[in-house]
Amino acid sequence: MRTALLQSSGRPGSVVENLKVLDEAADRAAATGAGLLVTPEMFLTGYAIGDDVARLAEPADGDSADAVAETAARHGIAIAYGYPERSGATVYNAVQLISADGGRLANYRKTHLFGCFEREHFTEGGRSVVQAELNGLTVGLLICYDVEFPENVRAHALAGTDLLVVPTAQMHPFQFVAESMIPVRAFENQMYVAYVNRVGREGEFEFVGLSTLAGPDGVARARAGRAEALVFADADPVALAASREANPYLRDRRPGLYGSLV
């Protein structure tokens, strides 16, 4: 499945403008034959928006979700987008996967919050593995800091995730995560990992870009630079099956030895 990575911080604070950016990207991505478009973390509203996080948060089936679904259906492309999700009085840092016909496939709430900003504005999610079937692949969802915990990604591998989608807001000086950790995560867990970042300065944060789609051989199939970009790479189930047959990591595990991890 051809996958488009939208590296952009959009227009922080403006849902209307970010929906326009998303629509334009969906149009461009669909024209290349892409089956999935992935945005960064909190793309719908912006990340460093302070108390506007709560003000702009919406339910998973709210007006903005309907707008994204309309965009997906109009262009015929699935979309995974980051946004602040409101559930009653609680706000989560979330990513939702919408199908190419506008249906809601999956919604994931970030389980590992990073830093004081996130702990002040969000509540941790309680479900670690969220998946959906899309174009012959099992797609799993994590957000940013979540992927830095090897247990999270291994749980997805054991659950059969083929393509792990990770909207992120990766900031300086942690660019080594995009450069080194993501390809390793893909290799050690035998999956594709789409890691899609914000870019530029936003409030107190400097986002480093470097969005990448890494394959199960540990090679980056696509990597953006430090500017806004739309980059593409393929998640190939045939190549994935061959890689899993050749790589023994998951077969050679000895779970009985790992009890001390929990």
Side-chain angles (χ1 to χ4, degrees), residues 9-47:
S9 288
R11 308 295 179 266
S14 176
V15 173
V16 170
E17 290 302 315
N18 291 329
L19 287 170
K20 290 179 181 178
V21 174
L22 182 64
D23 183 76
E24 292 169 0
D27 183 40
R28 291 172 56 198
T32 74
L36 174 63
L37 170 66
V38 184
T39 81
E41 181 177 5
M42 292 284 287
F43 179 78
L44 194 62
T45 61
Y47 181 90

PDB file of all heavy atoms in Angstrom, residues 9-47:
ATOM      1  N   SER A   9       3.267  21.253  10.293  1.00  0.00           N
ATOM      2  CA  SER A   9       2.635  21.697  11.528  1.00  0.00           C
ATOM      3  C   SER A   9       1.327  22.415  11.253  1.00  0.00           C
ATOM      4  O   SER A   9       0.685  22.919  12.180  1.00  0.00           O
ATOM      5  CB  SER A   9       3.588  22.607  12.324  1.00  0.00           C
ATOM      6  OG  SER A   9       4.637  21.844  12.887  1.00  0.00           O
ATOM      7  N   GLY A  10       0.938  22.476   9.977  1.00  0.00           N
ATOM      8  CA  GLY A  10      -0.329  23.105   9.640  1.00  0.00           C
ATOM      9  C   GLY A  10      -0.385  24.545  10.104  1.00  0.00           C
ATOM     10  O   GLY A  10       0.599  25.283  10.022  1.00  0.00           O
ATOM     11  N   ARG A  11      -1.544  24.932  10.646  1.00  0.00           N
ATOM     12  CA  ARG A  11      -1.751  26.290  11.163  1.00  0.00           C
ATOM     13  C   ARG A  11      -2.209  26.169  12.612  1.00  0.00           C
ATOM     14  O   ARG A  11      -3.416  26.037  12.877  1.00  0.00           O
ATOM     15  CB  ARG A  11      -2.789  27.030  10.324  1.00  0.00           C
ATOM     16  CG  ARG A  11      -2.519  27.025   8.828  1.00  0.00           C
ATOM     17  CD  ARG A  11      -1.245  27.786   8.452  1.00  0.00           C
ATOM     18  NE  ARG A  11      -1.013  27.728   7.002  1.00  0.00           N
ATOM     19  CZ  ARG A  11      -0.240  26.830   6.405  1.00  0.00           C
ATOM     20  NH1 ARG A  11       0.390  25.909   7.144  1.00  0.00           N
ATOM     21  NH2 ARG A  11      -0.087  26.828   5.098  1.00  0.00           N
ATOM     22  N   PRO A  12      -1.271  26.164  13.569  1.00  0.00           N
ATOM     23  CA  PRO A  12      -1.637  25.935  14.970  1.00  0.00           C
ATOM     24  C   PRO A  12      -2.740  26.872  15.435  1.00  0.00           C
ATOM     25  O   PRO A  12      -2.692  28.086  15.203  1.00  0.00           O
ATOM     26  CB  PRO A  12      -0.326  26.193  15.720  1.00  0.00           C
ATOM     27  CG  PRO A  12       0.731  25.836  14.724  1.00  0.00           C
ATOM     28  CD  PRO A  12       0.189  26.311  13.402  1.00  0.00           C
ATOM     29  N   GLY A  13      -3.765  26.280  16.044  1.00  0.00           N
ATOM     30  CA  GLY A  13      -4.881  27.048  16.569  1.00  0.00           C
ATOM     31  C   GLY A  13      -6.064  27.174  15.643  1.00  0.00           C
ATOM     32  O   GLY A  13      -7.119  27.655  16.060  1.00  0.00           O
ATOM     33  N   SER A  14      -5.918  26.735  14.376  1.00  0.00           N
ATOM     34  CA  SER A  14      -6.999  26.891  13.406  1.00  0.00           C
ATOM     35  C   SER A  14      -7.397  25.547  12.814  1.00  0.00           C
ATOM     36  O   SER A  14      -6.743  25.034  11.898  1.00  0.00           O
ATOM     37  CB  SER A  14      -6.605  27.843  12.275  1.00  0.00           C
ATOM     38  OG  SER A  14      -7.635  27.911  11.303  1.00  0.00           O
ATOM     39  N   VAL A  15      -8.470  24.974  13.322  1.00  0.00           N
ATOM     40  CA  VAL A  15      -8.961  23.706  12.777  1.00  0.00           C
ATOM     41  C   VAL A  15      -9.382  23.877  11.326  1.00  0.00           C
ATOM     42  O   VAL A  15      -9.105  23.013  10.474  1.00  0.00           O
ATOM     43  CB  VAL A  15     -10.131  23.185  13.629  1.00  0.00           C
ATOM     44  CG1 VAL A  15     -10.762  21.950  12.986  1.00  0.00           C
ATOM     45  CG2 VAL A  15      -9.659  22.858  15.046  1.00  0.00           C
ATOM     46  N   VAL A  16     -10.037  24.985  11.017  1.00  0.00           N
ATOM     47  CA  VAL A  16     -10.507  25.228   9.645  1.00  0.00           C
ATOM     48  C   VAL A  16      -9.344  25.214   8.660  1.00  0.00           C
ATOM     49  O   VAL A  16      -9.405  24.565   7.607  1.00  0.00           O
ATOM     50  CB  VAL A  16     -11.268  26.567   9.565  1.00  0.00           C
ATOM     51  CG1 VAL A  16     -11.547  26.942   8.108  1.00  0.00           C
ATOM     52  CG2 VAL A  16     -12.575  26.492  10.341  1.00  0.00           C
ATOM     53  N   GLU A  17      -8.264  25.912   8.981  1.00  0.00           N
ATOM     54  CA  GLU A  17      -7.111  25.962   8.076  1.00  0.00           C
ATOM     55  C   GLU A  17      -6.425  24.605   7.977  1.00  0.00           C
ATOM     56  O   GLU A  17      -5.959  24.211   6.907  1.00  0.00           O
ATOM     57  CB  GLU A  17      -6.119  27.030   8.541  1.00  0.00           C
ATOM     58  CG  GLU A  17      -6.616  28.451   8.364  1.00  0.00           C
ATOM     59  CD  GLU A  17      -6.951  28.755   6.915  1.00  0.00           C
ATOM     60  OE1 GLU A  17      -6.146  28.403   6.022  1.00  0.00           O
ATOM     61  OE2 GLU A  17      -8.031  29.350   6.669  1.00  0.00           O
ATOM     62  N   ASN A  18      -6.360  23.877   9.082  1.00  0.00           N
ATOM     63  CA  ASN A  18      -5.712  22.568   9.045  1.00  0.00           C
ATOM     64  C   ASN A  18      -6.520  21.562   8.237  1.00  0.00           C
ATOM     65  O   ASN A  18      -5.947  20.694   7.570  1.00  0.00           O
ATOM     66  CB  ASN A  18      -5.470  22.062  10.463  1.00  0.00           C
ATOM     67  CG  ASN A  18      -4.401  22.883  11.170  1.00  0.00           C
ATOM     68  OD1 ASN A  18      -3.483  23.397  10.524  1.00  0.00           O
ATOM     69  ND2 ASN A  18      -4.518  23.028  12.471  1.00  0.00           N
ATOM     70  N   LEU A  19      -7.830  21.679   8.261  1.00  0.00           N
ATOM     71  CA  LEU A  19      -8.650  20.833   7.395  1.00  0.00           C
ATOM     72  C   LEU A  19      -8.394  21.144   5.919  1.00  0.00           C
ATOM     73  O   LEU A  19      -8.416  20.240   5.076  1.00  0.00           O
ATOM     74  CB  LEU A  19     -10.128  21.012   7.741  1.00  0.00           C
ATOM     75  CG  LEU A  19     -10.585  20.368   9.047  1.00  0.00           C
ATOM     76  CD1 LEU A  19     -11.999  20.819   9.408  1.00  0.00           C
ATOM     77  CD2 LEU A  19     -10.517  18.840   8.959  1.00  0.00           C
ATOM     78  N   LYS A  20      -8.129  22.412   5.601  1.00  0.00           N
ATOM     79  CA  LYS A  20      -7.793  22.777   4.225  1.00  0.00           C
ATOM     80  C   LYS A  20      -6.445  22.169   3.818  1.00  0.00           C
ATOM     81  O   LYS A  20      -6.293  21.650   2.709  1.00  0.00           O
ATOM     82  CB  LYS A  20      -7.741  24.293   4.075  1.00  0.00           C
ATOM     83  CG  LYS A  20      -9.097  24.976   4.174  1.00  0.00           C
ATOM     84  CD  LYS A  20      -8.941  26.492   4.042  1.00  0.00           C
ATOM     85  CE  LYS A  20     -10.273  27.205   4.164  1.00  0.00           C
ATOM     86  NZ  LYS A  20     -10.118  28.683   4.096  1.00  0.00           N
ATOM     87  N   VAL A  21      -5.452  22.263   4.719  1.00  0.00           N
ATOM     88  CA  VAL A  21      -4.143  21.660   4.433  1.00  0.00           C
ATOM     89  C   VAL A  21      -4.292  20.163   4.218  1.00  0.00           C
ATOM     90  O   VAL A  21      -3.694  19.574   3.304  1.00  0.00           O
ATOM     91  CB  VAL A  21      -3.157  21.956   5.583  1.00  0.00           C
ATOM     92  CG1 VAL A  21      -1.842  21.207   5.374  1.00  0.00           C
ATOM     93  CG2 VAL A  21      -2.890  23.456   5.698  1.00  0.00           C
ATOM     94  N   LEU A  22      -5.107  19.523   5.058  1.00  0.00           N
ATOM     95  CA  LEU A  22      -5.335  18.087   4.930  1.00  0.00           C
ATOM     96  C   LEU A  22      -6.004  17.750   3.603  1.00  0.00           C
ATOM     97  O   LEU A  22      -5.629  16.778   2.935  1.00  0.00           O
ATOM     98  CB  LEU A  22      -6.194  17.612   6.099  1.00  0.00           C
ATOM     99  CG  LEU A  22      -6.489  16.115   6.159  1.00  0.00           C
ATOM    100  CD1 LEU A  22      -5.194  15.332   6.363  1.00  0.00           C
ATOM    101  CD2 LEU A  22      -7.471  15.804   7.274  1.00  0.00           C
ATOM    102  N   ASP A  23      -6.972  18.544   3.210  1.00  0.00           N
ATOM    103  CA  ASP A  23      -7.673  18.297   1.948  1.00  0.00           C
ATOM    104  C   ASP A  23      -6.713  18.399   0.769  1.00  0.00           C
ATOM    105  O   ASP A  23      -6.735  17.564  -0.145  1.00  0.00           O
ATOM    106  CB  ASP A  23      -8.819  19.298   1.794  1.00  0.00           C
ATOM    107  CG  ASP A  23      -9.634  19.040   0.543  1.00  0.00           C
ATOM    108  OD1 ASP A  23     -10.421  18.093   0.536  1.00  0.00           O
ATOM    109  OD2 ASP A  23      -9.454  19.799  -0.443  1.00  0.00           O
ATOM    110  N   GLU A  24      -5.865  19.411   0.779  1.00  0.00           N
ATOM    111  CA  GLU A  24      -4.898  19.581  -0.305  1.00  0.00           C
ATOM    112  C   GLU A  24      -3.927  18.400  -0.357  1.00  0.00           C
ATOM    113  O   GLU A  24      -3.583  17.902  -1.434  1.00  0.00           O
ATOM    114  CB  GLU A  24      -4.138  20.895  -0.119  1.00  0.00           C
ATOM    115  CG  GLU A  24      -5.005  22.131  -0.310  1.00  0.00           C
ATOM    116  CD  GLU A  24      -4.310  23.405   0.138  1.00  0.00           C
ATOM    117  OE1 GLU A  24      -3.144  23.314   0.604  1.00  0.00           O
ATOM    118  OE2 GLU A  24      -4.921  24.488   0.034  1.00  0.00           O
ATOM    119  N   ALA A  25      -3.470  17.954   0.819  1.00  0.00           N
ATOM    120  CA  ALA A  25      -2.542  16.824   0.867  1.00  0.00           C
ATOM    121  C   ALA A  25      -3.224  15.540   0.391  1.00  0.00           C
ATOM    122  O   ALA A  25      -2.615  14.721  -0.315  1.00  0.00           O
ATOM    123  CB  ALA A  25      -2.011  16.648   2.288  1.00  0.00           C
ATOM    124  N   ALA A  26      -4.494  15.352   0.777  1.00  0.00           N
ATOM    125  CA  ALA A  26      -5.233  14.167   0.346  1.00  0.00           C
ATOM    126  C   ALA A  26      -5.384  14.147  -1.172  1.00  0.00           C
ATOM    127  O   ALA A  26      -5.270  13.086  -1.810  1.00  0.00           O
ATOM    128  CB  ALA A  26      -6.599  14.129   1.026  1.00  0.00           C
ATOM    129  N   ASP A  27      -5.624  15.296  -1.751  1.00  0.00           N
ATOM    130  CA  ASP A  27      -5.753  15.402  -3.204  1.00  0.00           C
ATOM    131  C   ASP A  27      -4.440  15.007  -3.883  1.00  0.00           C
ATOM    132  O   ASP A  27      -4.424  14.204  -4.828  1.00  0.00           O
ATOM    133  CB  ASP A  27      -6.143  16.830  -3.567  1.00  0.00           C
ATOM    134  CG  ASP A  27      -6.376  17.016  -5.052  1.00  0.00           C
ATOM    135  OD1 ASP A  27      -6.967  16.115  -5.689  1.00  0.00           O
ATOM    136  OD2 ASP A  27      -5.963  18.061  -5.590  1.00  0.00           O
ATOM    137  N   ARG A  28      -3.330  15.544  -3.394  1.00  0.00           N
ATOM    138  CA  ARG A  28      -2.026  15.227  -3.972  1.00  0.00           C
ATOM    139  C   ARG A  28      -1.672  13.759  -3.773  1.00  0.00           C
ATOM    140  O   ARG A  28      -1.159  13.096  -4.689  1.00  0.00           O
ATOM    141  CB  ARG A  28      -0.939  16.108  -3.345  1.00  0.00           C
ATOM    142  CG  ARG A  28      -1.030  17.580  -3.714  1.00  0.00           C
ATOM    143  CD  ARG A  28      -0.042  18.395  -2.889  1.00  0.00           C
ATOM    144  NE  ARG A  28       1.325  17.917  -3.034  1.00  0.00           N
ATOM    145  CZ  ARG A  28       2.310  18.203  -2.182  1.00  0.00           C
ATOM    146  NH1 ARG A  28       2.067  18.956  -1.114  1.00  0.00           N
ATOM    147  NH2 ARG A  28       3.521  17.741  -2.387  1.00  0.00           N
ATOM    148  N   ALA A  29      -1.932  13.239  -2.572  1.00  0.00           N
ATOM    149  CA  ALA A  29      -1.566  11.856  -2.275  1.00  0.00           C
ATOM    150  C   ALA A  29      -2.386  10.880  -3.114  1.00  0.00           C
ATOM    151  O   ALA A  29      -1.847   9.911  -3.670  1.00  0.00           O
ATOM    152  CB  ALA A  29      -1.769  11.580  -0.783  1.00  0.00           C
ATOM    153  N   ALA A  30      -3.688  11.131  -3.216  1.00  0.00           N
ATOM    154  CA  ALA A  30      -4.544  10.241  -3.992  1.00  0.00           C
ATOM    155  C   ALA A  30      -4.134  10.229  -5.460  1.00  0.00           C
ATOM    156  O   ALA A  30      -4.227   9.190  -6.132  1.00  0.00           O
ATOM    157  CB  ALA A  30      -5.999  10.663  -3.843  1.00  0.00           C
ATOM    158  N   ALA A  31      -3.666  11.358  -5.955  1.00  0.00           N
ATOM    159  CA  ALA A  31      -3.255  11.443  -7.362  1.00  0.00           C
ATOM    160  C   ALA A  31      -2.051  10.551  -7.665  1.00  0.00           C
ATOM    161  O   ALA A  31      -1.825  10.178  -8.818  1.00  0.00           O
ATOM    162  CB  ALA A  31      -2.933  12.894  -7.725  1.00  0.00           C
ATOM    163  N   THR A  32      -1.273  10.203  -6.648  1.00  0.00           N
ATOM    164  CA  THR A  32      -0.124   9.309  -6.833  1.00  0.00           C
ATOM    165  C   THR A  32      -0.501   7.848  -6.657  1.00  0.00           C
ATOM    166  O   THR A  32       0.355   6.971  -6.777  1.00  0.00           O
ATOM    167  CB  THR A  32       1.007   9.643  -5.840  1.00  0.00           C
ATOM    168  OG1 THR A  32       0.636   9.200  -4.533  1.00  0.00           O
ATOM    169  CG2 THR A  32       1.298  11.134  -5.821  1.00  0.00           C
ATOM    170  N   GLY A  33      -1.742   7.584  -6.288  1.00  0.00           N
ATOM    171  CA  GLY A  33      -2.172   6.210  -6.032  1.00  0.00           C
ATOM    172  C   GLY A  33      -2.024   5.778  -4.596  1.00  0.00           C
ATOM    173  O   GLY A  33      -2.169   4.588  -4.290  1.00  0.00           O
ATOM    174  N   ALA A  34      -1.743   6.704  -3.686  1.00  0.00           N
ATOM    175  CA  ALA A  34      -1.590   6.347  -2.277  1.00  0.00           C
ATOM    176  C   ALA A  34      -2.921   5.866  -1.702  1.00  0.00           C
ATOM    177  O   ALA A  34      -3.989   6.397  -2.028  1.00  0.00           O
ATOM    178  CB  ALA A  34      -1.075   7.543  -1.474  1.00  0.00           C
ATOM    179  N   GLY A  35      -2.850   4.866  -0.827  1.00  0.00           N
ATOM    180  CA  GLY A  35      -4.035   4.347  -0.171  1.00  0.00           C
ATOM    181  C   GLY A  35      -4.227   4.869   1.229  1.00  0.00           C
ATOM    182  O   GLY A  35      -5.288   4.677   1.829  1.00  0.00           O
ATOM    183  N   LEU A  36      -3.188   5.525   1.791  1.00  0.00           N
ATOM    184  CA  LEU A  36      -3.237   6.027   3.162  1.00  0.00           C
ATOM    185  C   LEU A  36      -2.430   7.306   3.273  1.00  0.00           C
ATOM    186  O   LEU A  36      -1.304   7.385   2.761  1.00  0.00           O
ATOM    187  CB  LEU A  36      -2.669   4.989   4.136  1.00  0.00           C
ATOM    188  CG  LEU A  36      -2.503   5.404   5.597  1.00  0.00           C
ATOM    189  CD1 LEU A  36      -3.852   5.723   6.239  1.00  0.00           C
ATOM    190  CD2 LEU A  36      -1.777   4.326   6.387  1.00  0.00           C
ATOM    191  N   LEU A  37      -3.010   8.301   3.939  1.00  0.00           N
ATOM    192  CA  LEU A  37      -2.337   9.553   4.261  1.00  0.00           C
ATOM    193  C   LEU A  37      -2.243   9.660   5.774  1.00  0.00           C
ATOM    194  O   LEU A  37      -3.244   9.498   6.477  1.00  0.00           O
ATOM    195  CB  LEU A  37      -3.125  10.736   3.707  1.00  0.00           C
ATOM    196  CG  LEU A  37      -2.695  12.142   4.150  1.00  0.00           C
ATOM    197  CD1 LEU A  37      -1.299  12.481   3.629  1.00  0.00           C
ATOM    198  CD2 LEU A  37      -3.705  13.191   3.673  1.00  0.00           C
ATOM    199  N   VAL A  38      -1.045   9.933   6.294  1.00  0.00           N
ATOM    200  CA  VAL A  38      -0.824  10.026   7.737  1.00  0.00           C
ATOM    201  C   VAL A  38      -0.348  11.430   8.083  1.00  0.00           C
ATOM    202  O   VAL A  38       0.572  11.959   7.440  1.00  0.00           O
ATOM    203  CB  VAL A  38       0.221   8.999   8.219  1.00  0.00           C
ATOM    204  CG1 VAL A  38       0.365   9.055   9.738  1.00  0.00           C
ATOM    205  CG2 VAL A  38      -0.152   7.586   7.774  1.00  0.00           C
ATOM    206  N   THR A  39      -0.967  12.041   9.095  1.00  0.00           N
ATOM    207  CA  THR A  39      -0.555  13.366   9.567  1.00  0.00           C
ATOM    208  C   THR A  39       0.273  13.240  10.843  1.00  0.00           C
ATOM    209  O   THR A  39       0.315  12.180  11.468  1.00  0.00           O
ATOM    210  CB  THR A  39      -1.774  14.257   9.880  1.00  0.00           C
ATOM    211  OG1 THR A  39      -2.288  13.919  11.188  1.00  0.00           O
ATOM    212  CG2 THR A  39      -2.860  14.123   8.839  1.00  0.00           C
ATOM    213  N   PRO A  40       0.876  14.337  11.300  1.00  0.00           N
ATOM    214  CA  PRO A  40       1.566  14.327  12.581  1.00  0.00           C
ATOM    215  C   PRO A  40       0.601  14.312  13.778  1.00  0.00           C
ATOM    216  O   PRO A  40      -0.621  14.403  13.631  1.00  0.00           O
ATOM    217  CB  PRO A  40       2.367  15.640  12.560  1.00  0.00           C
ATOM    218  CG  PRO A  40       2.440  16.030  11.123  1.00  0.00           C
ATOM    219  CD  PRO A  40       1.159  15.553  10.524  1.00  0.00           C
ATOM    220  N   GLU A  41       1.182  14.231  14.945  1.00  0.00           N
ATOM    221  CA  GLU A  41       0.454  14.314  16.213  1.00  0.00           C
ATOM    222  C   GLU A  41      -0.252  15.673  16.334  1.00  0.00           C
ATOM    223  O   GLU A  41       0.316  16.709  15.979  1.00  0.00           O
ATOM    224  CB  GLU A  41       1.468  14.138  17.357  1.00  0.00           C
ATOM    225  CG  GLU A  41       0.905  14.167  18.760  1.00  0.00           C
ATOM    226  CD  GLU A  41       1.973  13.909  19.817  1.00  0.00           C
ATOM    227  OE1 GLU A  41       3.178  13.806  19.446  1.00  0.00           O
ATOM    228  OE2 GLU A  41       1.627  13.804  20.998  1.00  0.00           O
ATOM    229  N   MET A  42      -1.479  15.659  16.815  1.00  0.00           N
ATOM    230  CA  MET A  42      -2.248  16.877  17.086  1.00  0.00           C
ATOM    231  C   MET A  42      -2.349  17.787  15.854  1.00  0.00           C
ATOM    232  O   MET A  42      -2.427  19.011  15.971  1.00  0.00           O
ATOM    233  CB  MET A  42      -1.634  17.637  18.256  1.00  0.00           C
ATOM    234  CG  MET A  42      -1.773  16.930  19.597  1.00  0.00           C
ATOM    235  SD  MET A  42      -3.442  17.054  20.258  1.00  0.00           S
ATOM    236  CE  MET A  42      -3.453  18.777  20.752  1.00  0.00           C
ATOM    237  N   PHE A  43      -2.385  17.183  14.667  1.00  0.00           N
ATOM    238  CA  PHE A  43      -2.391  17.999  13.455  1.00  0.00           C
ATOM    239  C   PHE A  43      -3.635  18.866  13.342  1.00  0.00           C
ATOM    240  O   PHE A  43      -3.583  19.998  12.859  1.00  0.00           O
ATOM    241  CB  PHE A  43      -2.280  17.113  12.206  1.00  0.00           C
ATOM    242  CG  PHE A  43      -2.309  17.890  10.932  1.00  0.00           C
ATOM    243  CD1 PHE A  43      -1.181  18.571  10.507  1.00  0.00           C
ATOM    244  CD2 PHE A  43      -3.461  17.993  10.176  1.00  0.00           C
ATOM    245  CE1 PHE A  43      -1.198  19.327   9.349  1.00  0.00           C
ATOM    246  CE2 PHE A  43      -3.496  18.736   9.015  1.00  0.00           C
ATOM    247  CZ  PHE A  43      -2.358  19.408   8.596  1.00  0.00           C
ATOM    248  N   LEU A  44      -4.758  18.343  13.779  1.00  0.00           N
ATOM    249  CA  LEU A  44      -6.020  19.043  13.559  1.00  0.00           C
ATOM    250  C   LEU A  44      -6.052  20.418  14.217  1.00  0.00           C
ATOM    251  O   LEU A  44      -6.643  21.362  13.685  1.00  0.00           O
ATOM    252  CB  LEU A  44      -7.175  18.191  14.089  1.00  0.00           C
ATOM    253  CG  LEU A  44      -8.574  18.590  13.659  1.00  0.00           C
ATOM    254  CD1 LEU A  44      -8.740  18.496  12.153  1.00  0.00           C
ATOM    255  CD2 LEU A  44      -9.613  17.716  14.355  1.00  0.00           C
ATOM    256  N   THR A  45      -5.392  20.568  15.359  1.00  0.00           N
ATOM    257  CA  THR A  45      -5.459  21.816  16.130  1.00  0.00           C
ATOM    258  C   THR A  45      -4.138  22.529  16.283  1.00  0.00           C
ATOM    259  O   THR A  45      -4.113  23.721  16.601  1.00  0.00           O
ATOM    260  CB  THR A  45      -5.989  21.530  17.545  1.00  0.00           C
ATOM    261  OG1 THR A  45      -5.084  20.627  18.198  1.00  0.00           O
ATOM    262  CG2 THR A  45      -7.378  20.924  17.509  1.00  0.00           C
ATOM    263  N   GLY A  46      -3.036  21.817  16.104  1.00  0.00           N
ATOM    264  CA  GLY A  46      -1.740  22.316  16.543  1.00  0.00           C
ATOM    265  C   GLY A  46      -1.391  21.690  17.874  1.00  0.00           C
ATOM    266  O   GLY A  46      -2.270  21.258  18.631  1.00  0.00           O
ATOM    267  N   TYR A  47      -0.102  21.629  18.156  1.00  0.00           N
ATOM    268  CA  TYR A  47       0.380  20.968  19.380  1.00  0.00           C
ATOM    269  C   TYR A  47       0.555  21.961  20.527  1.00  0.00           C
ATOM    270  O   TYR A  47      -0.085  21.839  21.567  1.00  0.00           O
ATOM    271  CB  TYR A  47       1.692  20.250  19.074  1.00  0.00           C
ATOM    272  CG  TYR A  47       2.290  19.502  20.253  1.00  0.00           C
ATOM    273  CD1 TYR A  47       1.960  18.169  20.475  1.00  0.00           C
ATOM    274  CD2 TYR A  47       3.191  20.112  21.123  1.00  0.00           C
ATOM    275  CE1 TYR A  47       2.497  17.471  21.541  1.00  0.00           C
ATOM    276  CE2 TYR A  47       3.738  19.425  22.187  1.00  0.00           C
ATOM    277  CZ  TYR A  47       3.396  18.104  22.399  1.00  0.00           C
ATOM    278  OH  TYR A  47       3.931  17.420  23.464  1.00  0.00           O
TER     279      TYR A  47
END
